[in-house]
Amino acid sequence: MTCHNPTSFIDAQNGSIALVGHPNVGKSVIFQRLTGKHATVSNYPGTTVEVTRGAVRRWPDLFLVDTPGIITLPAHSDDEEVTERVLLNEPLRAIIQVGDAKNLRRTLLLSVQLAELGIPIVLALNMMDEARQRGIVFDPERLSDSLGFSVIPTTAVRGQGIDELHQALEAAIPSNFHLAYPREIETKLDETTQYIESHLTSPSPVSVRGLALLWISHDPVCENWLRQHLEVSTFTGLIDLREQFEKPSGEALGQHVQATRLAWVDRLIPTILIVPGNQKNNFAITLGRQTTHPVWGLIILAVVLFGLYEFVGVFGAGKLVGLLEGKLFTEIINPWITSQVTQLIPIPIIQEFLVGPYGLWTMGVTYALALILPIVTTFFLAFGVMEDSGYLPRLAALSNQVFARLGLNGKAVLPMVLGLGCVTMATLTTRIMESKRERLLVTLLLALAVPCSA
Ligand SMILES: Nc1nc2c(ncn2[C@@H]2O[C@H](COP(=O)(O)OP(=O)(O)O)[C@@H](O)[C@H]2O)c(=O)[nH]1
Ligand SMILES: [Mg+2]
């Protein structure tokens, strides 16, 4: 099964491979396809962000790391910071970028950023089934030629393209992708690269040009890394250098860098796209657009909140609880347990402790199973559907303006509204917030300012 090619990085060393890409593009499905069952999930050191690791089935010496979804570099959210820390601190042998074939523009923008790090990279263009359904046809080989690394179309849920992905990984070599920036940026980039190169105290995990690009874009993770790997005085020198670069125009270089990348992607796409596909008349897309419409969006939001209330409040907390607590426990289970306990244990105080009005069974277990369980189950089912359907980011876009004034992201609307019902559960949902600061703020607001009906 294993191909013994001594020059292949996969045979030569052990280390890890990182799965990187936007949220919800199929990274975790590909992770399962490549690793099989055994995976360990743990918080990334010093954060509450989860990272999954597992040995690659075909090459057991290599570990696959499933990173949190990122939108773009430089990192802005906790998730993006963790993913970038994986890129800079793990003994990486390769990156698999997982992208959505329906969204070539944003996928390729990230490809450019990742390729510039100079680590061997393969692009898995996933969701090919959906791209085909929309009539999108492109030329992966041509794309691969332009990028300088392999592009593998995949439909991860059906296991299509996974073999090809293995082969491409085996052949992957450090990417020599090189995007030429406008002259004035190149000059500054060169100077930064040379400065970093001549002062680093240990070898760089990614290409120094990649580091320099992140540095001039004010990337926080890269700054941290450089602070640790440069003498204090040289690090200050690097900051001075960047300030000096930014002085004449007064604007950040990162924006020019990003604009150049986007322009390159926009020129590339027409050359690889054979049929752009028809995205009109698709009900899901139309509905998706309407969810952020100022008027329709609010109506849809009202419908969603009403549905949430009907499912969790009326069905879960009303019907299910009534059935479980009222019928099953009060009428059938509890009388039986009470009679058993009173027969077996003739000591009143123990009887009272177990099955009295405030007994361990009659109150503790009954409430946990008949009251809390149905509510929590229906709640997390509904919440899962909202999360997986992609409604949450749209909801955030809708309510951003209101919450921006509180220094929060629009996603805060969900915990806030849920908090009117039950603050405990709402606190659990603060995990949708992107940074620790926002989670803390929302939790505080919930505790102090939102009246809880429960
Ligand atoms: N239609 C289709 N759905 C997919 C494909 N790959 C993944 N999915 C679905 O996309 C959703 C997100 O996948 P997941 O692996 O969790 O994405 P991640 O956020 O990148 O880890 C899940 O519902 C998957 O079942 C694919 O190739 N085609
Ligand atoms: Mg995932």
Side-chain angles (χ1 to χ4, degrees), residues 369-430:
L369 293 182
L371 202 74
I372 310 291
L373 185 68
I375 300 180
V376 172
T377 309
T378 47
F379 171 77
F380 277 104
L381 268 177
F383 187 64
V385 169
M386 286 176 69
E387 203 169 26
D388 284 349
S389 65
Y391 184 62
L392 288 185
R394 296 186 165 84
L395 181 62
L398 190 69
S399 47
N400 243 342
Q401 282 197 332
V402 182
F403 283 96
R405 289 197 199 120
L406 299 174
L408 287 170
N409 177 304
K411 284 183 186 171
V413 69
L414 195 78
M416 290 300 177
V417 171
L418 289 170
L420 295 172
C422 169
V423 166
T424 312
M425 248 180 264
T427 306
L428 289 177
T429 64
T430 55

Short mmCIF file of all heavy atoms in Angstrom, two decimals, residues 369-430:
data_model
loop_
_atom_site.label_atom_id
_atom_site.label_comp_id
_atom_site.label_asym_id
_atom_site.label_seq_id
_atom_site.Cartn_x
_atom_site.Cartn_y
_atom_site.Cartn_z
N LEU A 369 -34.37 13.76 34.69
CA LEU A 369 -34.75 13.00 33.50
C LEU A 369 -36.03 13.50 32.85
O LEU A 369 -36.18 13.46 31.63
CB LEU A 369 -34.91 11.51 33.86
CG LEU A 369 -33.64 10.79 34.27
CD1 LEU A 369 -33.92 9.34 34.56
CD2 LEU A 369 -32.59 10.90 33.16
N ALA A 370 -37.00 13.94 33.67
CA ALA A 370 -38.30 14.26 33.10
C ALA A 370 -38.47 15.74 32.79
O ALA A 370 -39.30 16.12 32.01
CB ALA A 370 -39.41 13.80 34.05
N LEU A 371 -37.65 16.58 33.43
CA LEU A 371 -37.84 18.02 33.24
C LEU A 371 -36.69 18.62 32.43
O LEU A 371 -36.89 19.24 31.39
CB LEU A 371 -37.93 18.68 34.62
CG LEU A 371 -38.62 20.02 34.67
CD1 LEU A 371 -40.13 19.81 34.53
CD2 LEU A 371 -38.32 20.72 35.99
N ILE A 372 -35.48 18.42 32.93
CA ILE A 372 -34.32 19.07 32.29
C ILE A 372 -33.98 18.40 30.96
O ILE A 372 -33.77 19.06 29.95
CB ILE A 372 -33.08 19.03 33.22
CG1 ILE A 372 -33.45 19.53 34.62
CG2 ILE A 372 -31.94 19.85 32.63
CD1 ILE A 372 -33.77 20.99 34.73
N LEU A 373 -33.93 17.06 30.96
CA LEU A 373 -33.50 16.34 29.75
C LEU A 373 -34.30 16.72 28.50
O LEU A 373 -33.71 17.07 27.47
CB LEU A 373 -33.52 14.83 30.00
CG LEU A 373 -32.97 14.00 28.85
CD1 LEU A 373 -31.46 14.21 28.70
CD2 LEU A 373 -33.25 12.51 29.05
N PRO A 374 -35.66 16.67 28.55
CA PRO A 374 -36.40 17.03 27.32
C PRO A 374 -36.15 18.47 26.87
O PRO A 374 -36.04 18.72 25.67
CB PRO A 374 -37.87 16.82 27.69
CG PRO A 374 -37.91 16.53 29.12
CD PRO A 374 -36.54 16.21 29.61
N ILE A 375 -36.03 19.38 27.84
CA ILE A 375 -35.82 20.78 27.44
C ILE A 375 -34.45 20.95 26.80
O ILE A 375 -34.31 21.53 25.72
CB ILE A 375 -35.97 21.73 28.66
CG1 ILE A 375 -37.37 21.58 29.25
CG2 ILE A 375 -35.71 23.17 28.25
CD1 ILE A 375 -37.62 22.46 30.45
N VAL A 376 -33.43 20.40 27.45
CA VAL A 376 -32.07 20.55 26.92
C VAL A 376 -31.95 19.84 25.56
O VAL A 376 -31.34 20.36 24.63
CB VAL A 376 -31.04 20.02 27.93
CG1 VAL A 376 -29.66 19.99 27.32
CG2 VAL A 376 -31.04 20.89 29.17
N THR A 377 -32.57 18.67 25.44
CA THR A 377 -32.48 17.93 24.17
C THR A 377 -33.12 18.72 23.03
O THR A 377 -32.50 18.93 21.99
CB THR A 377 -33.18 16.57 24.29
OG1 THR A 377 -32.67 15.91 25.44
CG2 THR A 377 -32.95 15.72 23.06
N THR A 378 -34.35 19.18 23.23
CA THR A 378 -35.01 19.91 22.15
C THR A 378 -34.25 21.20 21.86
O THR A 378 -34.08 21.60 20.71
CB THR A 378 -36.47 20.26 22.49
OG1 THR A 378 -36.53 20.79 23.81
CG2 THR A 378 -37.36 19.05 22.39
N PHE A 379 -33.76 21.83 22.93
CA PHE A 379 -33.05 23.08 22.73
C PHE A 379 -31.81 22.87 21.87
O PHE A 379 -31.59 23.58 20.89
CB PHE A 379 -32.67 23.68 24.07
CG PHE A 379 -31.75 24.85 23.93
CD1 PHE A 379 -32.25 26.08 23.54
CD2 PHE A 379 -30.39 24.71 24.13
CE1 PHE A 379 -31.42 27.15 23.37
CE2 PHE A 379 -29.55 25.78 23.96
CZ PHE A 379 -30.06 27.00 23.59
N PHE A 380 -31.00 21.87 22.20
CA PHE A 380 -29.76 21.70 21.44
C PHE A 380 -30.01 21.15 20.04
O PHE A 380 -29.23 21.41 19.13
CB PHE A 380 -28.73 20.88 22.22
CG PHE A 380 -27.98 21.76 23.18
CD1 PHE A 380 -28.25 21.75 24.53
CD2 PHE A 380 -27.05 22.67 22.70
CE1 PHE A 380 -27.59 22.61 25.40
CE2 PHE A 380 -26.38 23.53 23.56
CZ PHE A 380 -26.65 23.50 24.91
N LEU A 381 -31.11 20.41 19.87
CA LEU A 381 -31.49 19.99 18.51
C LEU A 381 -31.77 21.23 17.66
O LEU A 381 -31.23 21.39 16.56
CB LEU A 381 -32.75 19.12 18.56
CG LEU A 381 -32.53 17.62 18.67
CD1 LEU A 381 -33.87 16.90 18.77
CD2 LEU A 381 -31.78 17.13 17.43
N ALA A 382 -32.59 22.12 18.19
CA ALA A 382 -32.97 23.32 17.45
C ALA A 382 -31.74 24.19 17.20
O ALA A 382 -31.53 24.70 16.10
CB ALA A 382 -34.01 24.11 18.24
N PHE A 383 -30.91 24.31 18.21
CA PHE A 383 -29.71 25.13 18.10
C PHE A 383 -28.76 24.55 17.04
O PHE A 383 -28.19 25.28 16.23
CB PHE A 383 -29.04 25.21 19.46
CG PHE A 383 -27.90 26.15 19.52
CD1 PHE A 383 -28.10 27.50 19.32
CD2 PHE A 383 -26.62 25.69 19.77
CE1 PHE A 383 -27.04 28.38 19.36
CE2 PHE A 383 -25.55 26.56 19.82
CZ PHE A 383 -25.76 27.90 19.62
N GLY A 384 -28.65 23.21 17.04
CA GLY A 384 -27.78 22.54 16.07
C GLY A 384 -28.25 22.81 14.65
O GLY A 384 -27.44 23.06 13.75
N VAL A 385 -29.57 22.76 14.44
CA VAL A 385 -30.11 23.02 13.10
C VAL A 385 -29.78 24.45 12.68
O VAL A 385 -29.33 24.71 11.56
CB VAL A 385 -31.64 22.78 13.07
CG1 VAL A 385 -32.24 23.30 11.77
CG2 VAL A 385 -31.93 21.30 13.23
N MET A 386 -29.95 25.40 13.61
CA MET A 386 -29.64 26.80 13.27
C MET A 386 -28.17 26.97 12.94
O MET A 386 -27.81 27.70 12.02
CB MET A 386 -30.00 27.71 14.45
CG MET A 386 -31.48 27.91 14.59
SD MET A 386 -31.87 28.89 16.03
CE MET A 386 -31.26 30.48 15.56
N GLU A 387 -27.33 26.27 13.69
CA GLU A 387 -25.89 26.41 13.48
C GLU A 387 -25.48 25.79 12.14
O GLU A 387 -24.78 26.40 11.34
CB GLU A 387 -25.15 25.72 14.63
CG GLU A 387 -23.76 26.25 14.84
CD GLU A 387 -23.15 25.76 16.14
OE1 GLU A 387 -23.54 24.66 16.62
OE2 GLU A 387 -22.26 26.45 16.66
N ASP A 388 -25.96 24.56 11.89
CA ASP A 388 -25.53 23.85 10.68
C ASP A 388 -26.15 24.39 9.41
O ASP A 388 -25.62 24.22 8.32
CB ASP A 388 -25.84 22.35 10.81
CG ASP A 388 -24.85 21.66 11.72
OD1 ASP A 388 -23.85 22.32 12.05
OD2 ASP A 388 -25.07 20.50 12.10
N SER A 389 -27.32 25.04 9.53
CA SER A 389 -27.96 25.54 8.31
C SER A 389 -27.30 26.83 7.83
O SER A 389 -27.61 27.32 6.77
CB SER A 389 -29.44 25.81 8.58
OG SER A 389 -29.54 26.86 9.53
N GLY A 390 -26.39 27.37 8.64
CA GLY A 390 -25.73 28.60 8.22
C GLY A 390 -26.57 29.83 8.53
O GLY A 390 -26.28 30.92 8.04
N TYR A 391 -27.60 29.67 9.36
CA TYR A 391 -28.44 30.84 9.67
C TYR A 391 -27.73 31.80 10.62
O TYR A 391 -27.91 33.02 10.51
CB TYR A 391 -29.78 30.39 10.27
CG TYR A 391 -30.71 31.54 10.52
CD1 TYR A 391 -31.17 32.33 9.48
CD2 TYR A 391 -31.12 31.87 11.81
CE1 TYR A 391 -31.99 33.42 9.71
CE2 TYR A 391 -31.95 32.95 12.05
CZ TYR A 391 -32.40 33.72 11.00
OH TYR A 391 -33.19 34.80 11.22
N LEU A 392 -26.91 31.26 11.51
CA LEU A 392 -26.29 32.13 12.53
C LEU A 392 -25.48 33.29 11.96
O LEU A 392 -25.68 34.42 12.36
CB LEU A 392 -25.44 31.29 13.49
CG LEU A 392 -26.24 30.42 14.46
CD1 LEU A 392 -25.32 29.73 15.44
CD2 LEU A 392 -27.27 31.24 15.21
N PRO A 393 -24.57 33.02 11.00
CA PRO A 393 -23.83 34.17 10.46
C PRO A 393 -24.74 35.20 9.80
O PRO A 393 -24.47 36.40 9.84
CB PRO A 393 -22.88 33.56 9.43
CG PRO A 393 -23.13 32.11 9.40
CD PRO A 393 -24.06 31.76 10.50
N ARG A 394 -25.85 34.76 9.21
CA ARG A 394 -26.77 35.70 8.56
C ARG A 394 -27.51 36.51 9.61
O ARG A 394 -27.73 37.71 9.45
CB ARG A 394 -27.74 34.93 7.68
CG ARG A 394 -27.01 34.24 6.55
CD ARG A 394 -27.96 33.59 5.57
NE ARG A 394 -27.26 33.27 4.35
CZ ARG A 394 -26.55 32.17 4.17
NH1 ARG A 394 -26.44 31.30 5.13
NH2 ARG A 394 -25.94 31.95 3.02
N LEU A 395 -27.85 35.83 10.68
CA LEU A 395 -28.50 36.52 11.79
C LEU A 395 -27.55 37.59 12.32
O LEU A 395 -27.96 38.71 12.63
CB LEU A 395 -28.80 35.49 12.89
CG LEU A 395 -29.49 35.98 14.14
CD1 LEU A 395 -30.85 36.53 13.77
CD2 LEU A 395 -29.64 34.85 15.13
N ALA A 396 -26.28 37.23 12.38
CA ALA A 396 -25.28 38.18 12.87
C ALA A 396 -25.22 39.41 11.98
O ALA A 396 -25.18 40.54 12.46
CB ALA A 396 -23.92 37.50 12.94
N ALA A 397 -25.26 39.18 10.66
CA ALA A 397 -25.20 40.30 9.73
C ALA A 397 -26.38 41.23 9.95
O ALA A 397 -26.27 42.45 9.87
CB ALA A 397 -25.19 39.78 8.30
N LEU A 398 -27.53 40.62 10.24
CA LEU A 398 -28.75 41.40 10.42
C LEU A 398 -28.68 42.28 11.67
O LEU A 398 -29.11 43.43 11.66
CB LEU A 398 -29.93 40.42 10.53
CG LEU A 398 -31.32 41.01 10.49
CD1 LEU A 398 -31.61 41.55 9.11
CD2 LEU A 398 -32.35 39.95 10.85
N SER A 399 -28.16 41.72 12.74
CA SER A 399 -28.22 42.46 14.01
C SER A 399 -26.90 43.13 14.38
O SER A 399 -26.74 43.64 15.48
CB SER A 399 -28.67 41.52 15.12
OG SER A 399 -27.94 40.32 15.06
N ASN A 400 -25.97 43.12 13.43
CA ASN A 400 -24.65 43.68 13.71
C ASN A 400 -24.69 45.12 14.19
O ASN A 400 -24.02 45.49 15.14
CB ASN A 400 -23.78 43.62 12.46
CG ASN A 400 -22.59 42.73 12.70
OD1 ASN A 400 -22.25 42.45 13.84
ND2 ASN A 400 -21.97 42.27 11.65
N GLN A 401 -25.51 45.93 13.49
CA GLN A 401 -25.52 47.35 13.80
C GLN A 401 -25.90 47.63 15.24
O GLN A 401 -25.28 48.46 15.91
CB GLN A 401 -26.51 48.05 12.88
CG GLN A 401 -25.93 48.26 11.50
CD GLN A 401 -26.70 49.29 10.74
OE1 GLN A 401 -27.89 49.46 10.98
NE2 GLN A 401 -26.05 49.95 9.84
N VAL A 402 -26.92 46.92 15.72
CA VAL A 402 -27.36 47.13 17.09
C VAL A 402 -26.25 46.76 18.08
O VAL A 402 -25.91 47.52 18.99
CB VAL A 402 -28.60 46.26 17.39
CG1 VAL A 402 -29.10 46.51 18.81
CG2 VAL A 402 -29.69 46.54 16.37
N PHE A 403 -25.66 45.56 17.84
CA PHE A 403 -24.72 45.07 18.84
C PHE A 403 -23.33 45.71 18.72
O PHE A 403 -22.56 45.68 19.66
CB PHE A 403 -24.63 43.54 18.77
CG PHE A 403 -25.82 42.90 19.40
CD1 PHE A 403 -26.90 42.51 18.64
CD2 PHE A 403 -25.88 42.73 20.77
CE1 PHE A 403 -28.02 41.94 19.23
CE2 PHE A 403 -26.98 42.17 21.37
CZ PHE A 403 -28.06 41.77 20.59
N ALA A 404 -23.05 46.27 17.54
CA ALA A 404 -21.75 46.91 17.37
C ALA A 404 -21.58 48.03 18.40
O ALA A 404 -20.49 48.30 18.89
CB ALA A 404 -21.61 47.46 15.96
N ARG A 405 -22.69 48.67 18.76
CA ARG A 405 -22.61 49.75 19.74
C ARG A 405 -22.16 49.25 21.11
O ARG A 405 -21.59 49.98 21.90
CB ARG A 405 -23.97 50.43 19.89
CG ARG A 405 -24.27 51.22 18.66
CD ARG A 405 -25.36 52.22 18.86
NE ARG A 405 -25.85 52.57 17.53
CZ ARG A 405 -27.09 52.40 17.13
NH1 ARG A 405 -28.00 51.97 17.97
NH2 ARG A 405 -27.44 52.70 15.91
N LEU A 406 -22.44 47.98 21.39
CA LEU A 406 -22.01 47.41 22.68
C LEU A 406 -20.63 46.79 22.55
O LEU A 406 -20.15 46.14 23.47
CB LEU A 406 -22.99 46.32 23.12
CG LEU A 406 -24.44 46.74 23.36
CD1 LEU A 406 -25.30 45.52 23.64
CD2 LEU A 406 -24.49 47.68 24.55
N GLY A 407 -20.02 46.95 21.39
CA GLY A 407 -18.71 46.34 21.18
C GLY A 407 -18.83 44.85 20.93
O GLY A 407 -17.91 44.08 21.20
N LEU A 408 -19.99 44.42 20.42
CA LEU A 408 -20.21 43.00 20.20
C LEU A 408 -20.54 42.71 18.75
O LEU A 408 -20.92 43.60 18.00
CB LEU A 408 -21.38 42.51 21.06
CG LEU A 408 -21.13 42.38 22.55
CD1 LEU A 408 -22.44 42.14 23.26
CD2 LEU A 408 -20.17 41.24 22.81
N ASN A 409 -20.45 41.44 18.41
CA ASN A 409 -20.81 40.94 17.10
C ASN A 409 -22.31 40.66 17.11
O ASN A 409 -22.88 40.38 18.16
CB ASN A 409 -19.98 39.66 16.96
CG ASN A 409 -20.22 38.92 15.70
OD1 ASN A 409 -21.35 38.55 15.39
ND2 ASN A 409 -19.15 38.67 14.98
N GLY A 410 -22.96 40.76 15.95
CA GLY A 410 -24.40 40.55 15.87
C GLY A 410 -24.88 39.19 16.37
O GLY A 410 -26.04 39.02 16.72
N LYS A 411 -23.96 38.22 16.41
CA LYS A 411 -24.35 36.88 16.87
C LYS A 411 -24.88 36.91 18.29
O LYS A 411 -25.55 35.97 18.73
CB LYS A 411 -23.15 35.94 16.82
CG LYS A 411 -22.79 35.48 15.45
CD LYS A 411 -21.65 34.50 15.54
CE LYS A 411 -21.15 34.11 14.18
NZ LYS A 411 -19.92 33.33 14.27
N ALA A 412 -24.55 37.98 19.03
CA ALA A 412 -24.97 38.07 20.42
C ALA A 412 -26.48 38.06 20.56
O ALA A 412 -27.01 37.82 21.64
CB ALA A 412 -24.39 39.32 21.06
N VAL A 413 -27.21 38.30 19.44
CA VAL A 413 -28.65 38.35 19.53
C VAL A 413 -29.21 37.02 20.04
O VAL A 413 -30.18 36.99 20.79
CB VAL A 413 -29.29 38.72 18.16
CG1 VAL A 413 -29.13 37.62 17.15
CG2 VAL A 413 -30.75 39.07 18.32
N LEU A 414 -28.58 35.92 19.66
CA LEU A 414 -29.13 34.62 20.03
C LEU A 414 -29.09 34.38 21.54
O LEU A 414 -30.12 34.15 22.17
CB LEU A 414 -28.41 33.51 19.26
CG LEU A 414 -29.17 32.20 19.34
CD1 LEU A 414 -30.34 32.21 18.38
CD2 LEU A 414 -28.26 31.05 19.07
N PRO A 415 -27.90 34.46 22.19
CA PRO A 415 -27.88 34.30 23.65
C PRO A 415 -28.79 35.32 24.35
O PRO A 415 -29.43 34.96 25.33
CB PRO A 415 -26.43 34.52 24.05
CG PRO A 415 -25.65 34.67 22.82
CD PRO A 415 -26.54 34.54 21.65
N MET A 416 -28.86 36.53 23.81
CA MET A 416 -29.67 37.55 24.47
C MET A 416 -31.15 37.16 24.47
O MET A 416 -31.82 37.24 25.48
CB MET A 416 -29.53 38.90 23.75
CG MET A 416 -28.19 39.53 23.94
SD MET A 416 -27.87 39.83 25.66
CE MET A 416 -26.25 40.47 25.57
N VAL A 417 -31.65 36.74 23.30
CA VAL A 417 -33.06 36.37 23.21
C VAL A 417 -33.33 35.12 24.04
O VAL A 417 -34.29 35.04 24.80
CB VAL A 417 -33.47 36.15 21.73
CG1 VAL A 417 -34.86 35.55 21.66
CG2 VAL A 417 -33.43 37.47 20.99
N LEU A 418 -32.42 34.15 23.93
CA LEU A 418 -32.61 32.92 24.71
C LEU A 418 -32.57 33.20 26.20
O LEU A 418 -33.23 32.54 26.98
CB LEU A 418 -31.52 31.91 24.34
CG LEU A 418 -31.65 31.31 22.96
CD1 LEU A 418 -30.41 30.53 22.60
CD2 LEU A 418 -32.87 30.42 22.88
N GLY A 419 -31.78 34.21 26.57
CA GLY A 419 -31.64 34.56 27.98
C GLY A 419 -32.97 34.96 28.61
O GLY A 419 -33.18 34.79 29.80
N LEU A 420 -33.88 35.46 27.77
CA LEU A 420 -35.19 35.82 28.30
C LEU A 420 -35.90 34.55 28.81
O LEU A 420 -36.73 34.62 29.71
CB LEU A 420 -36.04 36.50 27.22
CG LEU A 420 -35.50 37.84 26.74
CD1 LEU A 420 -36.30 38.32 25.55
CD2 LEU A 420 -35.55 38.87 27.86
N GLY A 421 -35.57 33.41 28.21
CA GLY A 421 -36.17 32.16 28.64
C GLY A 421 -35.38 31.54 29.77
O GLY A 421 -35.89 31.29 30.85
N CYS A 422 -34.10 31.29 29.53
CA CYS A 422 -33.29 30.62 30.54
C CYS A 422 -31.84 31.07 30.39
O CYS A 422 -31.21 30.79 29.39
CB CYS A 422 -33.40 29.11 30.37
SG CYS A 422 -32.22 28.21 31.36
N VAL A 423 -31.36 31.76 31.40
CA VAL A 423 -30.01 32.33 31.31
C VAL A 423 -28.93 31.25 31.28
O VAL A 423 -27.92 31.38 30.58
CB VAL A 423 -29.77 33.33 32.47
CG1 VAL A 423 -28.30 33.65 32.59
CG2 VAL A 423 -30.55 34.60 32.21
N THR A 424 -29.17 30.14 31.97
CA THR A 424 -28.16 29.08 32.01
C THR A 424 -27.88 28.55 30.61
O THR A 424 -26.74 28.46 30.17
CB THR A 424 -28.63 27.93 32.90
OG1 THR A 424 -29.11 28.48 34.10
CG2 THR A 424 -27.52 26.95 33.15
N MET A 425 -28.98 28.26 29.90
CA MET A 425 -28.80 27.72 28.56
C MET A 425 -28.22 28.78 27.62
O MET A 425 -27.38 28.49 26.78
CB MET A 425 -30.12 27.24 28.04
CG MET A 425 -30.12 25.74 27.91
SD MET A 425 -31.66 25.22 27.31
CE MET A 425 -32.51 24.81 28.77
N ALA A 426 -28.67 30.00 27.81
CA ALA A 426 -28.16 31.09 26.98
C ALA A 426 -26.65 31.23 27.18
O ALA A 426 -25.91 31.47 26.23
CB ALA A 426 -28.88 32.39 27.31
N THR A 427 -26.21 31.04 28.41
CA THR A 427 -24.78 31.14 28.69
C THR A 427 -24.02 30.07 27.93
O THR A 427 -22.93 30.32 27.41
CB THR A 427 -24.52 31.03 30.21
OG1 THR A 427 -25.32 31.99 30.86
CG2 THR A 427 -23.07 31.26 30.53
N LEU A 428 -24.62 28.88 27.83
CA LEU A 428 -23.97 27.81 27.06
C LEU A 428 -23.80 28.22 25.60
O LEU A 428 -22.81 27.88 24.96
CB LEU A 428 -24.78 26.52 27.14
CG LEU A 428 -24.75 25.80 28.48
CD1 LEU A 428 -25.65 24.58 28.44
CD2 LEU A 428 -23.34 25.40 28.85
N THR A 429 -24.80 28.95 25.07
CA THR A 429 -24.71 29.29 23.65
C THR A 429 -23.74 30.45 23.38
O THR A 429 -23.51 30.79 22.22
CB THR A 429 -26.08 29.69 23.06
OG1 THR A 429 -26.53 30.87 23.71
CG2 THR A 429 -27.08 28.59 23.22
N THR A 430 -23.19 31.06 24.42
CA THR A 430 -22.22 32.13 24.15
C THR A 430 -20.99 31.57 23.43
O THR A 430 -20.16 32.34 22.97
CB THR A 430 -21.75 32.84 25.43
OG1 THR A 430 -21.24 31.86 26.32
CG2 THR A 430 -22.87 33.59 26.09
#
